[in-house]
Amino acid sequence: MEDPSHRPDPVFDSPWHAQVFALVVHLNERGLFTWPDWVARFSSALRQAGLSQALNGGDDYFAVWLDTLEQVMLEQGLAGVEDLTDMKRAWERAYVQTPHGDPVHLEDPS
Amino acid sequence: MPHDTSDPQQPPHSHLPSDPSLRVKALETILTRKGLIDPAALDEIIDTYENRIGPQNGARVVARAWADAAFRTALLEDADPVLAQMGFNGRQGEHVVVVENTPERHNMVVCTLCSCYPWPLLGIPPGWYKSDAYRARAVREPRKVLSEFGVALPEGTAVRVWDSTAEVRYLVLPMRPAGTDHWSEDQLMRLVSRDSMIGTALARRPDTGGVAGQEGAE
């Protein structure tokens, strides 16, 4: 194992890691789930993910964090699979339709 | 479907973010529209962890424990009220236990389940702390892992590995390096690396004076 203490680590490697981390912390603080519940769900998902490949603690770690959050939101009836797919497509369209350099905005909800 | 942003036939549009990035955006939009989250609060959380919370908090605690015997005793007995007084409260209501390194015992922290970590004291854990390799091996072969971090302990020093949970997080109080008798708290802080508070390094020696890369050297 390489000694990583010789270089400064960025806190989050990608902006989406920070976003999904903050979402979970915020939803916990808003009382949508307790922290021990989150840890139980997340660690179980992490164990499942680690069965098929060795996780390096970077992108793959936060991918499990995101999968778990989506699953919890689905179970609580707050965001269904279709809602998520539709909203993701809406964001894709917004990016594709926005000229490079302009701020990307989602079309207004119909 | 992903779009090929490099296709010269297509007009130049905004760079399409990665799949997980779009999924996070989708979740965030849905939850915001339902009034369940406040985007400003998300920004505040990210700013806190990127800029305001980090190993400097834990280093302050360690340096004070080295410099102030009464503080050290209180910290080892019951860390929560001591840390609360310093403003280092856990957001998730977790308890912090401080474990002290001695010539007889070296402490090392892991979270075998996931990546529980004393956020208010050390910030967000580094990638290796979250990796399967560290989580699996820290318990099984701690001395080997330590040696890979450059830490060689005397034979008479036992290694104790602490497994963090959602409720209890650990902070290692490293041994104070010799030759620092009259150092101030601020000077001492420079000897305390993040890894020394996880237990995968020792405190820096005073002759290296806080130069990065020297922790772990015997």
Side-chain angles (χ1 to χ4, degrees):
Chain A
M1 197 180 304
E2 168 195 22
D3 177 358
S5 64
H6 290 196
R7 58 169 197 275
D9 285 306
V11 173
F12 297 105
D13 290 334
S14 303
W16 74 265
H17 297 178
Q19 289 296 130
V20 74
F21 169 82
L23 262 177
V24 170
V25 170
H26 185 48
L27 289 167
N28 162 244
E29 288 175 356
R30 288 241 157 152
L32 273 86
F33 44 78
T34 68
W35 199 254
D37 281 349
W38 168 257
V39 167
R41 296 293 301 263
F42 175 64
S43 58
S44 149
L46 202 57
R47 196 164 48 244
Q48 285 301 316
L51 294 178
S52 51
Q53 52 170 333
L55 304 179
N56 67 17
D59 243 29
D60 51 13
Y61 172 88
F62 281 105
V64 177
W65 189 276
L66 173 57
D67 288 344
T68 308
L69 179 59
E70 283 180 345
Q71 190 59 34
V72 171
M73 294 295 97
L74 179 70
E75 284 170 23
Q76 296 199 0
L78 298 174
V81 174
E82 225 167 278
D83 301 332
L84 285 171
T85 310
D86 289 350
M87 188 59 76
K88 180 170 169 263
R89 292 219 175 103
W91 271 111
E92 277 174 4
R93 277 196 305 277
Y95 274 91
V96 170
Q97 286 162 5
T98 305
H100 184 73
D102 286 3
V104 180
H105 294 295
L106 204 58
E107 59 215 55
D108 283 332
S110 46
Chain B
M1 286 299 291
H3 295 262
D4 183 1
T5 51
S6 63
D7 185 349
Q9 300 297 314
Q10 291 196 3
H13 57 69
S14 296
H15 176 68
L16 197 60
S18 67
D19 174 77
S21 176
L22 288 166
R23 283 163 59 200
V24 176
K25 276 183 161 308
L27 253 183
E28 202 179 316
T29 308
I30 291 170
L31 296 173
T32 303
R33 287 183 180 171
K34 290 191 171 178
L36 291 165
I37 58 169
D38 170 10
L42 294 181
D43 291 343
E44 188 274 330
I45 291 168
I46 294 170
D47 177 57
T48 298
Y49 284 100
E50 281 190 329
N51 304 311
R52 287 185 273 138
I53 289 185
Q56 70 276 10
N57 290 0
R60 167 71 59 198
V61 174
V62 168
R64 191 164 295 173
W66 284 346
D68 179 340
F71 177 88
R72 180 177 148 275
T73 305
L75 184 73
L76 292 171
E77 264 174 21
D78 185 5
D80 289 332
V82 177
L83 297 174
Q85 216 162 24
M86 294 176 81
F88 300 152
N89 304 60
R91 293 177 85 127
Q92 279 69 41
E94 69 276 19
H95 299 292
V96 173
V97 172
V98 178
V99 289
E100 184 184 34
N101 285 350
T102 63
E104 291 77 36
R105 189 175 81 182
H106 179 86
N107 297 286
M108 187 173 159
V109 181
V110 67
C111 175
T112 55
L113 273 182
C114 47
S115 55
C116 298
Y117 192 69
W119 291 347
L121 299 168
L122 299 182
I124 300 299
W128 58 260
Y129 184 85
K130 297 177 286 192
S131 70
D132 277 359
Y134 180 76
R135 292 191 293 115
R137 295 180 56 223
V139 172
R140 214 169 53 223
E141 42 184 16
R143 274 184 188 272
K144 188 142 188 286
V145 171
L146 282 175
S147 74
E148 288 164 21
F149 274 93
V151 179
L153 297 170
E155 264 188 36
T157 305
V159 180
R160 169 91 194 253
V161 180
W162 300 84
D163 196 357
S164 314
T165 66
E167 289 89 3
V168 184
R169 320 286 171 94
Y170 299 94
L171 183 84
V172 174
L173 175 59
M175 281 199 288
R176 178 175 179 162
T180 57
D181 285 357
H182 302 293
W183 284 36
S184 69
E185 202 177 294
D186 283 347
Q187 285 175 306
L188 289 169
M189 262 183 80
R190 298 208 308 268
L191 303 178
V192 187
S193 65
R194 176 194 68 203
D195 291 6
S196 73
M197 294 179 280
I198 304 175
T200 52
L202 306 179
R204 299 177 178 117
R205 292 176 311 192
D207 54 352
T208 60
V211 177
Q214 294 301 318
E215 67 259 54
E218 267 288 313

